Amino acid sequence: MAQRDGAGRAPLSRDRVLRAAVVLADRAGLEALSMRSLAQELGVVPMALYKHVANKEQLLDGMVDAVVAEIEPPADDADWRTVVRGCVLSARRALLRHPWAVRVIETRSSPTPGVLAHLDSVVGTFRAGGFSVDLTHHVMHALGSRVWGFTQEVFPSPPPPDPEARTAALRELSGRYPHIAEIVLRGGGHEDASVVGRGCDDQFEFEFALDLLLDGFERLRAQGWSSAARSAGESRAQGA
Amino acid sequence: MAQRDGAGRAPLSRDRVLRAAVVLADRAGLEALSMRSLAQELGVVPMALYKHVANKEQLLDGMVDAVVAEIEPPADDADWRTVVRGCVLSARRALLRHPWAVRVIETRSSPTPGVLAHLDSVVGTFRAGGFSVDLTHHVMHALGSRVWGFTQEVFPSPPPPDPEARTAALRELSGRYPHIAEIVLRGGGHEDASVVGRGCDDQFEFEFALDLLLDGFERLRAQGWSSAARSAGESRAQGA
DNA sequence: ACCTGAACACCGTTCAAGT
DNA sequence: ACCTGAACACCGTTCAAGT
């Protein structure tokens, strides 16, 4: 009865389908995940999957929640800032473990239950920390995708490792986009291939922006900021 | 000679292909844009497109640059903050005109020339405004996707307009995700379907976060911040 | 030399035929 | 009643055959 070919498989279940999908996406990439390839991985016929997930979109929804479930619950004995920071960095670690997850989260048309639960807990932390509903609302928007521990990178990737190609690439960059080149060269001025263009420290950049925002949040909270005064040009003066 | 069927078409060109692709994506959505549907739109056989774009990825690259070309050049007679703000909001307007563009930018594996040119001009504005190369670097990362005028939204979409379904949805939300519900209800306390859950003012939220970051940037610039001091836990004290 | 239709190797999903 | 193989309506792209 049931599936029992090859290596004596347990019967299919929604959970087993989702876990296999996560493993497959981790190993082979998102573009290699199809209903057909996943079925083959599980040793079943493609249509058997449709007993456990309505369609591919719902499969992806389930995969997102599986990743979100890896986020550690916050230690709630600290101040709001420490707790939020911990939550966000834990989310970031979960998403770094599954590089495809960011792309899948971005393409969901509506948030999954796991995603809502995570959001709710972060909102609750702000509220408990003395943020008004109003300020909490805007602050959550300001965090944006950073609540998930990611930001899409828009910077060019580091130059090629081959010294000759690298020097040529940097020279071209300097000619066409001088200001970007200056950053890639980090003000050192040397075009020496061995020391420059070492790429960016993603973790540092993430925490830099996160802390800048958290600092701003704390300032607004302390001064009792409210959006009630919002009108023409008012927002410019918010931090003054 | 050339294509001259039906309504007497001009000969194909890379530019005509790209413009048709943008129009098609605007009208029918990104998922309706295929090499086949685009060819049909242009009254040619699918393979004819491959004379002007190497493959679909390159077609999408070209479409991104077509949208980026709509960003207005900054008025450079103002202070850095006004110029950057203007650039970013102009980029935002261009992307709002082509709702598919955000998704396409996010999936590009490397930045296109138009994208690099936009980045370069923003970097140049910071530099001219007295930012060090070092600070400019981190500040660009902190802006992240906001340089493009967008942030992915992670908040749930507004509740359904039908009063009865709306009340039910809100009641469920309150039970499961009380903190999110509080924000949706905006602290008013009333569950009256007509006044609550009016959704978010995207433009306000965008500018709120943008100005918070710009305020932070100005503070760091004024105090001569440098990443040189970065080490264990140092980043937390950046705004102090 | 140029163009292009048929074909290839895929998709997600429907549906009717088989047990 | 249950399961599933074949089929449908698509993809992007290759390639050889036709002019």
Side-chain angles (χ1 to χ4, degrees):
Chain A
M1 57 184 297
Q3 293 292 341
R4 193 151 278 283
D5 56 325
R9 304 195 168 280
L12 268 195
S13 69
R14 189 182 147 84
D15 197 63
R16 226 166 74 78
V17 168
L18 293 181
R19 262 180 308 152
V22 167
V23 169
L24 181 56
D26 283 347
R27 171 164 41 85
L30 194 59
E31 69 288 345
L33 175 78
S34 68
M35 296 301 275
R36 289 165 132 104
S37 65
L38 177 58
Q40 190 173 24
E41 198 72 15
L42 286 160
V44 300
V45 77
M47 285 314 297
L49 300 176
Y50 286 83
K51 282 265 109 114
H52 303 99
V53 290
N55 48 39
K56 194 179 181 184
E57 288 302 292
Q58 205 184 85
L59 173 74
L60 293 170
D61 283 351
M63 291 169 70
V64 167
D65 273 357
V67 171
V68 169
E70 293 181 15
I71 302 175
E72 301 143 35
D76 57 357
D77 57 343
D79 62 305
W80 72 265
R81 189 188 167 125
T82 307
V83 176
V84 168
R85 206 171 187 280
C87 262
V88 167
L89 292 179
S90 172
R92 177 173 169 80
R93 267 174 271 127
L95 285 169
L96 287 177
R97 257 176 259 134
H98 308 284
W100 46 268
V102 166
R103 245 169 311 150
V104 177
I105 288 179
E106 281 172 351
T107 57
R108 292 311 79 203
S109 55
S110 62
T112 58
V115 158
L116 283 171
H118 175 64
L119 277 177
D120 196 63
S121 111
V122 176
V123 170
T125 305
F126 278 117
R127 293 289 289 125
F131 284 64
S132 70
V133 171
D134 182 37
L135 182 55
T136 302
H137 172 208
H138 302 301
V139 141
M140 286 296 291
H141 274 287
L143 277 179
S145 63
R146 253 173 271 260
V147 205
W148 302 119
F150 72 87
T151 19
Q152 328 81 321
E153 271 322 317
V154 283
F155 255 130
S157 39
D162 167 46
E164 195 165 336
R166 189 196 198 86
T167 308
L170 290 174
R171 204 177 298 280
E172 165 155 339
L173 197 69
S174 297
R176 248 194 266 275
Y177 313 109
H179 299 112
I180 294 177
E182 198 180 32
I183 284 180
V184 173
L185 299 169
R186 294 294 199 296
H190 37 196
E191 273 189 41
D192 174 3
S194 62
V195 292
V196 301
R198 64 188 178 287
C200 302
D201 181 342
D202 284 345
Q203 186 68 27
F204 178 83
E205 302 307 341
F206 184 84
E207 295 189 26
F208 174 85
L210 176 60
D211 288 322
L212 208 54
L213 286 167
L214 294 179
D215 283 342
F217 298 168
E218 171 59 18
R219 232 181 310 261
L220 295 183
R221 188 198 59 77
Q223 76 194 30
W225 182 93
S226 154
S227 70
R230 81 156 120 158
S231 58
E234 198 62 35
S235 62
R236 288 224 32 189
Q238 67 180 203
Chain B
M1 56 185 291
Q3 293 293 342
R4 192 151 279 283
D5 55 326
R9 305 194 168 279
L12 268 195
S13 69
R14 188 182 147 84
D15 196 63
R16 225 165 76 77
V17 169
L18 291 181
R19 262 181 307 155
V22 168
V23 169
L24 181 56
D26 284 348
R27 171 164 42 84
L30 194 60
E31 69 288 344
L33 175 78
S34 68
M35 296 302 274
R36 289 164 132 105
S37 65
L38 177 57
Q40 190 174 24
E41 197 73 13
L42 286 161
V44 300
V45 77
M47 285 314 297
L49 301 176
Y50 286 83
K51 282 265 108 116
H52 303 99
V53 290
N55 49 39
K56 193 179 182 183
E57 288 303 290
Q58 205 184 87
L59 172 75
L60 293 170
D61 283 351
M63 291 170 69
V64 167
D65 273 357
V67 170
V68 169
E70 292 180 16
I71 302 175
E72 300 144 35
D76 57 356
D77 57 342
D79 61 306
W80 72 264
R81 188 187 169 125
T82 308
V83 176
V84 168
R85 207 171 187 280
C87 260
V88 167
L89 292 179
S90 171
R92 177 172 169 80
R93 268 174 273 133
L95 285 169
L96 288 177
R97 258 176 259 133
H98 308 284
W100 47 268
V102 166
R103 245 168 312 149
V104 177
I105 289 178
E106 282 172 350
T107 57
R108 292 311 80 202
S109 55
S110 63
T112 60
V115 157
L116 283 172
H118 175 65
L119 277 178
D120 196 64
S121 111
V122 177
V123 170
T125 305
F126 278 118
R127 292 288 289 126
F131 284 65
S132 71
V133 171
D134 181 36
L135 182 55
T136 302
H137 173 209
H138 302 301
V139 140
M140 286 294 291
H141 274 288
L143 277 179
S145 64
R146 253 175 273 259
V147 206
W148 303 118
F150 71 88
T151 19
Q152 328 80 322
E153 272 321 317
V154 284
F155 255 129
S157 39
D162 167 46
E164 195 165 334
R166 189 195 196 84
T167 307
L170 290 174
R171 206 177 297 281
E172 166 155 338
L173 197 68
S174 298
R176 247 193 266 274
Y177 313 109
H179 299 112
I180 294 177
E182 198 181 32
I183 283 180
V184 173
L185 299 169
R186 294 293 198 295
H190 36 198
E191 274 191 39
D192 175 2
S194 62
V195 292
V196 301
R198 63 187 179 288
C200 302
D201 181 343
D202 284 345
Q203 187 67 27
F204 178 83
E205 303 307 342
F206 184 83
E207 296 188 25
F208 174 87
L210 178 59
D211 288 321
L212 208 54
L213 285 167
L214 295 179
D215 283 341
F217 297 168
E218 171 59 19
R219 230 179 314 257
L220 295 184
R221 188 198 59 78
Q223 77 196 29
W225 183 93
S226 153
S227 71
R230 80 157 122 157
S231 57
E234 199 62 35
S235 62
R236 289 224 32 188
Q238 67 180 204

